[in-house]
Amino acid sequence: MSNQRDVAKLAGVSSASVSRFLTNPNLVTPKVAVAVERAIATLNYRLDHSAQTLKTGKSFHVGLLSPALGSYHSNIFQAVENQLAKEGYYCTIFDTLGPDSRRAAQSRSLLPIMRGKQIDGALFLPLNTADDDLTIEQLRDWGHPYVILDRNLAIPGIPQVVIDNYKAGRLAAKKFLSLGHKDFLFIWGLQDFPSSRDRFAGFRDELREAGLPLSFDRQLEGDFLASHTYRFTRSIWTRLPNFTAVFAANDPSALGFLKAAREEGLDCPRDFSLIGFDDDEELSSLIGFPLATFRQPVAELGIRGAQMLLDLLQARPVDPPKVTLGVEFIERGSLAPPPALKSS
């Protein structure tokens, strides 16, 4: 097994330079950093965390906390792990949700568990529950660096990286308005989720400024699920107001609505336009439907969050303490002018 001296020899630098690089790559010149990185890759060198802990008092161990472990979160965690590894850190994922009967107890015992595992810092990807709020309170009292991901908190000074869902909602409305649409529907995700609320608020506010208020009867349940959206849409179809444009909180909800509409004799974009969210390429390709949607910067969210935590752990300046990432609109064939304008 290779050691630090082997890396130094292959890189043509001193062992002290390798040690400085492993502690903080910014402590060495770019030329030395490149040489050491290449030597590490060639030798498949792995940092001896137990030795580093004894030497520095740091465990080089980061906790990734989340109450949900779906594909969205897994993609973020993968980006986080890759970024942490560049500076010699490894991580453990903690499920802060657990079975319903254990949620509160698990939240209360979270920090003692982390202390027992010698965690240097943490990244937290919450949803929007009382238990999540409790975890944030505990992190604030913990005494170690932490970063909140994808939860827009108004509390000053909390390090966080968020996605601008509100701006995305406004952009969806602008796309429809630019085509001449005046009759809209919005399909909710889970209404407790900040991302769902922000997408709705942006969509509603842009329409309101255009003199087109989004009334309650133009808001449908979706729960981020195609099946739920489909069943709910079918159950209230006869009570739906006239519509030519539909914005769904995610792609599965959009496609669930599309299925219900097709069974009622409508099709997209012939009769209405449709925008989703999340760019679920696998689902869209399976159905074979060109859904206009938004692509979230999932990898960038993980990378920026991990780098912010690394900066905090290494006492490097973090400015600004809050980073807001935009989303990319993917324009596809589900957008068209409303039927009245197409036929005129």
Side-chain angles (χ1 to χ4, degrees):
M1 180 180 293
S2 301
N3 57 38
Q4 193 167 303
R5 290 189 298 275
D6 297 326
V7 172
K9 183 177 180 180
L10 182 60
V13 301
S14 68
S15 184
S17 293
V18 175
S19 180
R20 283 194 293 271
F21 174 84
L22 293 172
T23 301
N24 181 352
N26 292 327
L27 295 177
V28 300
T29 66
K31 182 179 179 180
V32 169
V34 169
V36 173
E37 283 181 338
R38 288 175 177 170
I40 288 173
T42 300
L43 297 171
N44 195 27
Y45 172 71
R46 293 291 182 267
L47 189 66
D48 185 343
H49 292 286
S50 59
Q52 286 292 105
T53 297
L54 291 173
K55 183 178 178 181
T56 66
K58 294 181 179 180
S59 68
F60 292 86
H61 188 188
V62 167
L64 305 184
L65 320 178
S66 179
L69 300 174
S71 60
Y72 172 76
H73 302 83
S74 297
N75 290 334
I76 293 173
F77 289 160
Q78 182 177 356
V80 166
E81 289 176 312
N82 291 340
Q83 191 68 14
L84 291 174
K86 292 180 180 180
E87 296 198 25
Y89 283 80
Y90 69 106
C91 52
T92 297
I93 296 174
F94 294 87
D95 179 2
T96 63
L97 185 60
D100 288 345
S101 61
R102 294 192 292 111
R103 285 175 60 187
Q106 190 165 353
S107 292
R108 283 193 293 271
S109 63
L110 175 64
L111 294 189
I113 290 173
M114 289 172 60
R115 289 191 186 99
K117 293 185 178 294
Q118 296 181 305
I119 303 291
D120 288 338
L123 292 111
F124 182 35
L125 182 59
L127 298 178
N128 189 36
T129 68
D131 290 324
D132 289 343
D133 293 337
L134 176 60
T135 299
I136 292 171
E137 289 179 14
Q138 292 185 29
L139 287 171
R140 294 175 70 189
D141 296 334
W142 183 33
H144 292 270
Y146 67 93
V147 175
I148 307 297
L149 299 178
D150 200 20
R151 169 84 181 270
N152 200 339
L153 298 169
I155 306 170
I158 288 188
Q160 53 187 304
V161 183
V162 301
I163 291 175
D164 199 340
N165 288 286
Y166 178 82
K167 187 175 181 179
R170 294 197 74 122
L171 180 56
K174 287 179 180 178
K175 291 290 182 181
F176 286 140
L177 291 168
S178 69
L179 292 169
H181 291 277
K182 295 183 179 179
D183 299 306
F184 304 91
L185 297 177
F186 177 81
I187 304 174
W188 278 93
L190 292 168
Q191 295 195 28
D192 286 342
F193 278 35
S195 58
S196 185
R197 294 203 308 268
D198 288 347
R199 291 167 198 172
F200 168 75
F203 191 65
R204 176 203 61 201
D205 290 352
E206 188 68 30
L207 295 181
R208 182 182 290 164
E209 291 179 13
L212 298 166
L214 192 66
S215 55
F216 182 76
D217 62 331
R218 295 184 174 276
Q219 302 174 39
L220 282 65
E221 290 182 15
D223 285 358
F224 289 130
L225 297 172
S227 57
H228 186 98
T229 304
Y230 167 75
R231 290 193 299 269
F232 182 80
T233 301
R234 288 303 306 271
S235 71
I236 65 162
W237 185 265
T238 57
R239 303 196 302 275
L240 282 177
N242 291 333
F243 65 92
T244 63
V246 183
F247 177 39
N250 73 342
D251 287 359
S253 295
L255 296 173
F257 181 89
L258 176 68
K259 174 176 170 61
R262 283 177 169 175
E263 291 180 0
E264 295 293 339
L266 274 63
D267 205 0
C268 175
R270 183 192 68 198
D271 302 302
F272 65 94
S273 289
L274 182 62
I275 295 177
F277 208 102
D278 281 337
D279 192 26
D280 192 328
E281 295 178 276
E282 182 177 6
L283 182 58
S284 295
S285 62
L286 182 65
I287 295 176
F289 181 72
L291 178 64
T293 187
F294 290 91
R295 180 178 297 150
Q296 298 195 73
V298 175
E300 186 180 2
L301 179 72
I303 291 169
R304 295 289 291 273
Q307 190 57 55
M308 184 178 287
L309 180 61
L310 287 168
D311 290 340
L312 290 168
L313 289 166
Q314 301 293 343
R316 298 190 291 252
V318 175
D319 187 28
K322 181 176 182 177
V323 174
T324 302
L325 305 177
V327 298
E328 178 186 2
F329 181 68
I330 311 297
E331 190 155 350
R332 297 194 181 108
S334 63
L335 285 178
L341 292 182
K342 284 187 288 188
S343 60
S344 62

